[in-house]
Amino acid sequence: MKDHHPHGVEARRPLLRGVSLRGGASGGNIALLNAAQRQELADIATLARFPRGALLQQEGEAISAIFNVVEGVVKTYRLTEDGKRHILAFMFRGDLVGLYENGRYLNSAEAVNEVAAYRLPVAALEKLWERDPALNMAFLSKACHDLRATQRHEIMLSRRDARQRLWMFIDMLLPQAEESNGGGENPRLTLPMRRVEIADYLGLSAEAVSRGLHALVREGKLRLHGLHQLEVLDRGELAAAAASG
Amino acid sequence: MKDHHPHGVEARRPLLRGVSLRGGASGGNIALLNAAQRQELADIATLARFPRGALLQQEGEAISAIFNVVEGVVKTYRLTEDGKRHILAFMFRGDLVGLYENGRYLNSAEAVNEVAAYRLPVAALEKLWERDPALNMAFLSKACHDLRATQRHEIMLSRRDARQRLWMFIDMLLPQAEESNGGGENPRLTLPMRRVEIADYLGLSAEAVSRGLHALVREGKLRLHGLHQLEVLDRGELAAAAASG
DNA sequence: CGACCCATTGATCGGTCTCAAACATTGTGG
DNA sequence: CCACAATGTTTGAGACCGATCAATGGGTCG
């Protein structure tokens, strides 16, 4: 991990990323909070850090706070009675972790790598919602955004072919990486998670993920640079797949 | 279809069903709107009726309104480039149909049977949100509720076994039916949708749905009464499956 | 009452899971 | 800094389950 924060002083306050309900300017991901709202949230937030593998929250636990990811990746998951684990989402900078129901967390959340996140106490947060309708609206937008993302994940899972699921997965992650990238050459993508985590996200075995990735390499669509970095070669076809997904 | 409305005069206004964010009284499904809010929505709403198979909205279409289901069942779905259809959700009384992004519907929506729904123009609705923070909060609760439902659907899809997916599906639908049921004998469930629709919802073929249902019958967990009504025999084990899913 | 749509049943095929083993990577302590 | 251990990844062989194709049977709606 680098010592200097890559996002500068702007990262020092909570941030919500998503697509606004009303058609935004670009249509892409935008910040859902203005400076004043970010300050409001900062006033009730404390920054927490988690090493890889640390639990942010556990399924069934009584809620106290939700987290706003600043840096690193968090996975939310649930365990089935046969001991398998299904990963519901990977959460990145600007995402919210801690969906709850009847005062209890629904899912467990674990740090995939080194994570920094703002801790937002629920009591204080709900008070803010009552006071500021625009803030409430921002969280509604974020909830709808997460709903769309979950639906998209569902579409991924409905594909029978392991290769197609992986291809959609890569397409989903690409926009995140492209900002840090100069748009010139082939886009490069860093997968911070392990193979088995991709597998649990896509409803596959770790072996099928490995085989699928290498199948895509053989087809000339992908190139692997080490275990956690890949280069997308066949961008055109990927865009087409994205349009239909 | 019966001529007399089963819910009486109370049905004459929009209704949002879901679990409140703060632990509600019962913990079960409750109405998220009070009488005043329902009237506010009624003032901008018009009641529309759709025969089976009618399209309420189409993927990619410019938005004008969202729908609040009063009676009947609506399915929301998306088509993949290979012509397959994935059903994202079945929407019942008190649900909202019409998730949108950048001014366009994300999914298509079709009436599964005879449907009545309130049409809520988006422009007027967004104006209401700005004016009434409590109403906004209710829609936030509803969005979180739908998010939970979608996650639950995801868990269903992560099961490899067709029988287990069906079992979870039945468990999901059971609470809806149990209200109309006296709680005495074995719960009965009406499936208004066709086999192929269940298949598209569960990521199976219609044949697999048929085989799975009859496998459950052979195991003594289920009994079929015609094509669209079933009786759940082994309630205990189902509750256990529900607790873990 | 007939035509169409839907549901069921059977046989075959393909893809992924599983188990098992070799291999690579990462992190650790000497 | 190196060697080692632990963890994670790749590859292979076989079994299983659901998709698909095809045909029959049952419901429903005109």
Side-chain angles (χ1 to χ4, degrees), chain B residues 1-225:
Chain B
M1 295 295 116
K2 290 167 186 157
D3 284 332
H4 62 282
H5 198 291
H7 298 283
V9 78
E10 270 304 292
R12 297 281 164 72
R13 283 188 239 108
L15 173 70
L16 279 194
R17 290 272 300 274
V19 176
S20 163
L21 277 175
R22 343 205 57 163
S26 65
N29 268 17
I30 57 168
L32 295 173
L33 300 174
N34 61 33
Q37 291 167 337
R38 293 181 65 186
Q39 186 57 51
E40 269 187 324
L41 290 174
D43 289 342
I44 66 168
T46 55
L47 188 61
R49 294 191 171 274
F50 302 92
R52 181 186 124 170
L55 278 172
L56 281 76
Q57 61 200 220
Q58 209 159 1
E59 184 183 345
E61 217 175 29
I63 52 162
S64 52
I66 67 175
F67 290 96
N68 177 225
V69 178
V70 174
E71 200 176 0
V73 181
V74 174
K75 66 178 177 188
T76 60
Y77 64 89
R78 220 174 305 176
L79 298 173
T80 59
E81 77 272 10
D82 52 351
K84 301 204 179 298
R85 137 177 351 201
H86 179 74
I87 294 183
L88 290 156
F90 293 109
M91 306 294 227
F92 300 89
R93 176 179 170 72
D95 283 331
L96 292 174
V97 178
L99 185 67
Y100 57 94
E101 179 178 67
N102 289 325
R104 304 201 164 270
Y105 293 117
L106 259 135
N107 311 314
S108 301
E110 185 184 319
V112 169
N113 51 15
E114 198 91 1
V115 164
Y118 284 107
R119 187 178 182 281
L120 301 166
V122 170
L125 187 61
E126 292 188 345
K127 232 173 275 175
L128 279 187
W129 284 340
E130 286 170 23
R131 232 184 11 221
D132 185 346
L135 189 71
N136 203 322
M137 188 70 196
F139 276 78
L140 175 56
S141 289
K142 183 59 175 167
C144 287
H145 180 81
D146 287 356
L147 187 51
R148 289 188 293 260
T150 307
Q151 286 188 354
R152 189 181 168 135
H153 187 192
E154 240 195 70
I155 304 276
M156 261 187 250
L157 292 175
S158 77
R159 304 293 171 104
R160 324 207 167 291
D161 198 344
R163 269 174 44 260
Q164 286 184 39
R165 290 195 206 177
L166 277 164
W167 200 234
M168 279 195 76
F169 176 66
I170 291 167
D171 179 51
M172 182 193 75
L173 256 41
L174 212 42
Q176 236 121 20
E178 254 173 356
E179 314 181 342
S180 43
N181 251 344
E185 311 110 18
N186 287 328
R188 284 206 172 198
L189 185 54
T190 301
L191 302 176
M193 64 290 288
R194 296 164 294 165
R195 298 290 187 267
V196 66
E197 291 174 318
I198 300 177
D200 288 343
Y201 183 75
L202 294 177
L204 298 169
S205 65
E207 293 93 328
V209 170
S210 179
R211 280 187 252 263
L213 279 176
H214 287 271
L216 290 171
V217 170
R218 270 194 303 280
E219 294 171 26
K221 296 179 177 168
L222 234 56
R223 194 174 297 161
L224 295 176
H225 299 274

Side-chain angles (χ1 to χ4, degrees), chain A residues 15-33:
Chain A
L15 173 71
L16 279 194
R17 289 272 300 271
V19 176
S20 165
L21 276 176
R22 343 205 58 165
S26 65
N29 269 15
I30 57 167
L32 294 174
L33 301 173

